[in-house]
C-alpha cells in the first residue's frame, strides 16, 4: 500500500503536539472564563479527560502537557496586563469584554505566547492561533484574530517583524 501514512516524527510531531496544546489551552481558558472554574480543577480535568483521549467519540491529539500548562497558567498570571494590550489592539468601540468568550481566550493565549515563548517564531504563533480560532468561529472573526495578534506581535517582537 503506497498511500499508507507514516508515523509523524521530529519537529512535525512536536508542532502537532503544541497545536493540540494550544487548542486545549484555549478551551480551558474559555471554560475558566464562562464557568469560573479554577486553574487546578482545569488542569486535572484536561490532563485526565481531554489531552490525547477520546471524548464523546472525538479523538483528541496528544498534547504537550507542559506547554498547555505554561500557556494556561501564564494567561491567568498575566491577564490583568494582557487585557489592556488586547483592548488597545482591538477596533475602538469593541473592548475585549464585548468580544465572544472563545475569542477572548484565543487572543489572551496568543498574546501570552507572543510575549513569553520566544522559542516559537512570532508568525508561527499568530498563524497557529488563527487556526485555533477557525475551529470555533467564522472567517471574519479569524481575520480579526490575525490583525490583533499581528499588532501585538509587532510590540513584543518588533525586531523579528522588522526583518520581513
Amino acid at each position: 500500500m503506497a498511500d499508507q501514512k507514516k508515523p509523524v516524527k521530529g519537529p512535525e510531531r512536536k508542532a502537532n503536539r503544541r497545536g493540540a496544546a494550544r487548542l486545549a489551552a484555549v478551551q480551558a481558558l474559555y471554560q475558566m472564563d464562562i464557568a469560573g472554574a479554577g486553574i487546578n480543577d482545569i488542569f486535572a480535568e484536561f490532563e485526565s479527560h481531554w489531552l490525547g483521549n477520546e471524548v464523546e467519540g472525538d479523538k483528541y491529539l496528544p498534547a504537550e502537557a507542559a506547554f498547555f500548562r505554561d500557556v494556561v497558567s501564564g494567561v491567568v498570571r498575566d491577564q490583568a496586563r494582557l487585557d489592556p494590550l488586547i483592548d488597545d489592539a482591538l477596533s475602538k468601540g469593541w473592548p475585549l469584554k464585548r468580544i465572544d468568550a472563545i475569542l477572548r481566550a484565543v487572543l489572551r493565549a496568543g498574546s501570552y505566547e507572543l510575549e513569553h515563548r520566544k522559542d516559537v517564531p512570532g508568525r508561527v504563533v499568530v498563524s497557529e492561533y488563527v487556526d485555533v480560532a477557525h475551529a470555533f468561529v467564522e472567517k471574519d472573526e479569524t481575520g480579526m484574530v490575525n490583525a490583533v495578534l499581528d499588532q501585538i506581535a509587532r510590540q513584543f517582537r518588533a525586531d523579528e517583524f522588522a526583518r520581513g
Side-chain angles (χ1 to χ4, degrees):
M1 296 180 121
D3 63 336
Q4 208 171 358
K5 291 194 177 214
K6 294 179 182 173
V8 180
K9 295 181 181 169
E12 251 185 77
R13 182 181 183 101
K14 185 174 186 176
N16 288 342
R17 291 174 58 83
R18 285 216 171 153
R22 286 181 181 101
L23 181 63
V26 166
Q27 290 171 312
L29 291 166
Y30 170 80
Q31 194 168 325
M32 291 173 75
D33 195 8
I34 294 299
I39 194 165
N40 291 330
D41 293 337
I42 286 293
F43 285 157
E45 178 183 341
F46 273 74
E47 289 173 2
S48 66
H49 295 3
W50 291 86
L51 303 183
N53 293 317
E54 191 170 309
V55 178
E56 296 173 6
D58 291 326
K59 177 74 174 140
Y60 285 79
L61 281 173
E64 191 175 316
F67 193 82
F68 164 78
R69 279 180 163 263
D70 179 57
V71 172
V72 173
S73 60
V75 168
V76 169
R77 182 189 65 233
D78 294 350
Q79 186 175 330
R81 195 173 42 74
L82 292 172
D83 283 1
L85 290 171
I86 297 167
D87 256 339
D88 287 347
L90 286 164
S91 297
K92 298 301 171 221
W94 282 100
L96 186 59
K97 65 185 176 204
R98 285 187 64 191
I99 301 295
D100 187 65
I102 196 70
L103 291 175
R104 282 196 303 267
V106 169
L107 293 172
R108 287 171 176 154
S111 297
Y112 167 79
E113 196 173 330
L114 284 165
E115 182 178 16
H116 293 283
R117 297 302 304 235
K118 305 292 190 202
D119 57 317
V120 182
R123 284 180 173 79
V124 170
V125 173
V126 173
S127 175
E128 286 284 317
Y129 282 101
V130 168
D131 287 348
V132 168
H134 190 67
F136 300 106
V137 298
E138 299 299 319
K139 189 170 170 69
D140 314 3
E141 292 163 307
T142 61
M144 180 272 295
V145 167
N146 186 55
V148 169
L149 290 180
D150 183 72
Q151 189 174 333
I152 290 170
R154 291 171 190 281
Q155 291 174 42
F156 288 136
R157 301 183 185 203
D159 58 329
E160 190 179 324
F161 279 73
R163 291 193 299 260

